[in-house]
Amino acid sequence: MSKVPWPGFAGGALLAIIPLVLLGYSWEQYDFIFHFTSWQEYGQSMAQGNLLPIWSSLANFGLGEPRYLFYPPLSLMVGGVLSWVLPPVLLPGAMIWLLTGVCALTTWHLTPASLDRSRRQVVALLVALGFGMLNSGIVRYAMAEMMASALIPLLLSCFVTMRQRADIHGVLRFAGMAALMWLTNMPMAIASTYLLGAVTLYCCLRDSSLTLLKHYLMGYVLSVLAIAWYLVPAILAESTISPSAVGPTGFSHMTLLDVPSLIGRNMLALVISSVAMVVFLLALGLRRRQLDQRLEIMAALGVVAIVVQLPGAVWLFGQLPVADMVGFWFRFYFFVSLTLPVVAFTLFRSRLLHGFIVLAYVMFYAGVGLLNFQASHHDGAGNPDLHAPTTEVLSRHEQGFAGYPEYLNPHTESRVIEHASQRPAWDIRASEGCHARVTSMIHGVLEATTRGETQCSYTLARYAFPFWHLYIDGQRIAYGHNGQGLLTVDVAAGEHRLMARVVRPLWPTLLGWGISLIVLLILVPWLIRRQHSVGHE
């Protein structure tokens, strides 16, 4: 077995951050703000012993939102750990470098070992630096999506093994990888679920057996049950946010043929996809006898990933359950950029084909760099695509940022604060004749002392979500909200200690963890007994 070329992958991954080092980051592009600040907050919370926080204190210019109850935690945890050891100026680029390297490693694992070392390394780097990863990372800075893309080769490896071995161990490995996908990025997890579902049906027809379909369904059911500790509280808590904010508005009607929609980047994706379709159809047709199960799955997956981006198919896909969470057709880019090099370099010996693929991938990389260069020389700080040096962008983010549109305050159903200048200049405000002084503020907790000759009303500069618990002198009390959706509370006359803290919902959390633990308690003893019986045969 060939040794993994660690230095080559580490060095190759540096290419992914060159445009960012030279041109900086998007000035107001929301994905960058969301991920960068979330890593810092999550890292601070984990350092304080809270491994699963729910409240973002930085969102809405300090008014907060419960984003971490809903957002998949894996990428936040990784970014949080990196924030412990790296200065802020290095953190964004380090994350892209890390995920690019991980993608190269997982693709190396997926690529057939029969391929010679040099071509196997080229395939891995093409995928890691291909238009799927670039679109997620450099163009949009969608880090959770980029992490999910880096894990997809392992998901496919488990799928291949599940088809080859057709036993419970293969199903469990597949379920484990599917669970990691759910915990990383929902749009990519849903996209991979549907694409692999189509490939499963194809394989069942080829094998004249429904075994793979049974194992595929079993694997995904187990994956969902295994992460019930995350899913159940998130799903049940949807009623606590604005109905207009729950989920995307629908799957995009645009297709792979809508070249202007991505300012020309889509042209290269269209050319590459056209060549890829020819390669996949040749592999499944004229070269079928040379296909092993791994390559057959790769070719079939590539065909499905291209077809679902075409007119008509996009509309049909959008009618599927929860397909609206995938959002955009370009999330299928990665599946094409992954399967094309694997199939082409393994099955075909044409240097012309290999050279064209390498050139097309290089041109897409250059096109992204050119786009960022143009954006960095564009006037107007209000342009969300404007790029600026890293330190300049980070200093701007210190002013705060708006909240995520999917977690709107249920009492306002809109963003009340759109700019930092609109944020209240206080953290707690007392009614006339009363006084309050903040004594402590950490993530999701505010403590203050209050004083008044009569009953007083206090307003806290925090958005009122049901996850807040307010206490006066240690006793929990009811609270309300004002027209801006901010917390309000009435306190009796005298001097008191007021504490407001965000608390994870108890019963949904217990239910979710209970389901996950029950699955674990059933599977582990069963697997031990099965392993023991096999060892004595």
Side-chain angles (χ1 to χ4, degrees), residues 74-93:
L74 187 57
S75 67
L76 301 178
M77 289 181 174
V78 173
V81 171
L82 286 181
S83 72
W84 295 347
V85 297
L86 293 175
V89 72
L90 296 181
L91 179 57

Side-chain angles (χ1 to χ4, degrees), residues 217-230:
L217 295 174
M218 186 186 305
Y220 269 113
V221 169
L222 286 175
S223 73
V224 171
L225 294 176
I227 64 164
W229 60 267
Y230 155 68

Side-chain angles (χ1 to χ4, degrees), residues 348-357:
F348 297 89
R349 300 296 179 181
S350 171
R351 292 185 177 180
L352 180 62
L353 175 61
H354 296 170
F356 174 82
I357 293 173

Side-chain angles (χ1 to χ4, degrees), residues 373-392:
F373 176 78
Q374 292 172 339
S376 67
H377 288 70
H378 190 280
D379 293 331
N383 177 12
D385 292 322
L386 180 68
H387 280 60
T390 307
T391 53
E392 191 175 345

Side-chain angles (χ1 to χ4, degrees), residues 309-444:
Q309 299 179 61
L310 299 178
V314 165
W315 181 86
L316 287 173
F317 181 83
Q319 310 310 306
L320 296 173
V322 300
D324 56 347
M325 292 191 66
V326 178
F328 297 95
W329 84 102
F330 56 65
R331 288 200 165 99
F332 299 110
Y333 272 6
F334 178 77
F335 298 92
V336 181
S337 67
L338 165 66
T339 52
L340 175 58
V342 173
V343 174
F345 279 75
T346 305
L347 197 60
F348 297 89
R349 300 296 179 181
S350 171
R351 292 185 177 180
L352 180 62
L353 175 61
H354 296 170
F356 174 82
I357 293 173
V358 172
L359 178 62
Y361 277 52
V362 169
M363 287 180 64
F364 193 93
Y365 174 88
V368 168
L370 177 61
L371 186 74
N372 289 2
F373 176 78
Q374 292 172 339
S376 67
H377 288 70
H378 190 280
D379 293 331
N383 177 12
D385 292 322
L386 180 68
H387 280 60
T390 307
T391 53
E392 191 175 345
V393 174
L394 297 185
S395 65
R396 181 177 177 85
H397 292 162
E398 292 176 358
Q399 302 173 20
F401 56 94
Y404 201 60
E406 291 184 14
Y407 315 130
L408 290 179
N409 191 324
H411 306 299
T412 62
E413 297 192 359
S414 64
R415 285 175 171 167
V416 175
I417 305 269
E418 293 285 352
H419 306 286
S421 60
Q422 298 173 325
R423 187 197 185 279
W426 40 266
D427 286 295
I428 183 170
R429 184 178 62 184
S431 57
E432 186 176 354
C434 303
H435 305 275
R437 181 175 64 87
V438 174
T439 58
S440 175
M441 282 194 306
I442 57 176
H443 294 295

